[in-house]
Amino acid sequence: MRPGVRLGVDVGSVRVGLAASDPGGILATPVRTLDRDLENGTDQATIASVVRERDVLEVVVGLPRSLSGGEGPAAAGARVYATALAVRVSPVPVRLVDERLTTIDAHRQLRDSGRPGRSQRAVVDQVAAVLILQAALDEENESGLPPGELVGGRKPRASRSRASRTGSGGSS
């Protein structure tokens, strides 16, 4: 397991939820919810500030795939967001990880905790970010490899062998 704080990001059409791990990369906790700012990008500027303040090892952005594993408009939007974020936080890597059903799970957890529906809006994106980041941390702890797909990098690690990642050759 690589030591270092990871930042989880749940990208919504209205809000962006943030979560962070401990320095050991074991536990994800909520950080804050930001309003999306499609016009000026202040949400991404704030995320970049959090990355610097917390000395983040990598950023993990949820990729909302369909139940079948396909990608629709929401996934395309998350990819665009992650790509723009990667430019802002460079050289810190940004990774996309499958986030199927995390918002539904977040709503369920908040409902089960007794939080009324209207007050869930303020924190549901943070809870979803925690779920996204925790799944990524668990995946890395289990496999020993970084989770998901590197933004601006190669395809997800499942599609290539360890030798091709550490070997020679080819241009990127």
Side-chain angles (χ1 to χ4, degrees):
M1 178 73 187
R2 301 169 297 148
V5 173
R6 278 78 162 176
L7 188 69
V9 180
D10 176 55
V11 181
S13 58
V14 176
R15 288 175 297 277
V16 179
L18 301 181
S21 75
D22 61 290
I26 303 298
L27 183 65
T29 56
V31 172
R32 67 190 289 188
T33 300
L34 305 170
D35 290 328
R36 278 290 298 268
D37 182 2
L38 297 171
E39 191 172 313
N40 299 311
T42 57
D43 53 329
Q44 290 201 358
T46 300
I47 294 170
S49 292
V50 170
V51 166
R52 287 188 302 276
E53 289 164 10
R54 292 181 180 245
D55 195 23
V56 168
L57 172 70
E58 73 184 0
V59 178
V60 176
V61 176
L63 181 64
R65 294 182 185 272
S66 67
L67 289 177
S68 67
E71 294 186 14
R79 283 186 180 281
V80 168
Y81 192 92
T83 300
L85 185 59
V87 171
R88 284 194 186 248
V89 302
S90 181
V92 173
V94 174
R95 304 187 76 79
L96 285 162
V97 296
D98 190 344
E99 68 144 309
R100 278 177 257 193
L101 303 178
T102 54
T103 301
I104 293 168
D105 287 342
H107 277 291
R108 182 179 302 123
Q109 285 185 10
L110 289 168
R111 185 181 60 248
D112 291 350
S113 73
R115 189 171 198 118
R118 283 202 181 273
S119 69
Q120 289 181 10
R121 287 185 199 146
V123 295
V124 71
D125 300 290
Q126 286 178 47
V127 174
V130 166
L131 293 171
I132 290 164
L133 181 55
Q134 191 63 56
L137 294 171
D138 293 347
E139 180 182 332
E140 181 169 341
N141 281 327
E142 192 173 298
S143 71
L145 300 170
E149 173 186 344
L150 184 62
V151 173
R154 298 174 186 233
K155 294 291 181 190
R157 69 168 203 289
S159 66
R160 60 187 205 269
S161 70
R162 180 180 294 266
S164 67
R165 283 192 310 277
T166 58
S168 63
S171 60
S172 297

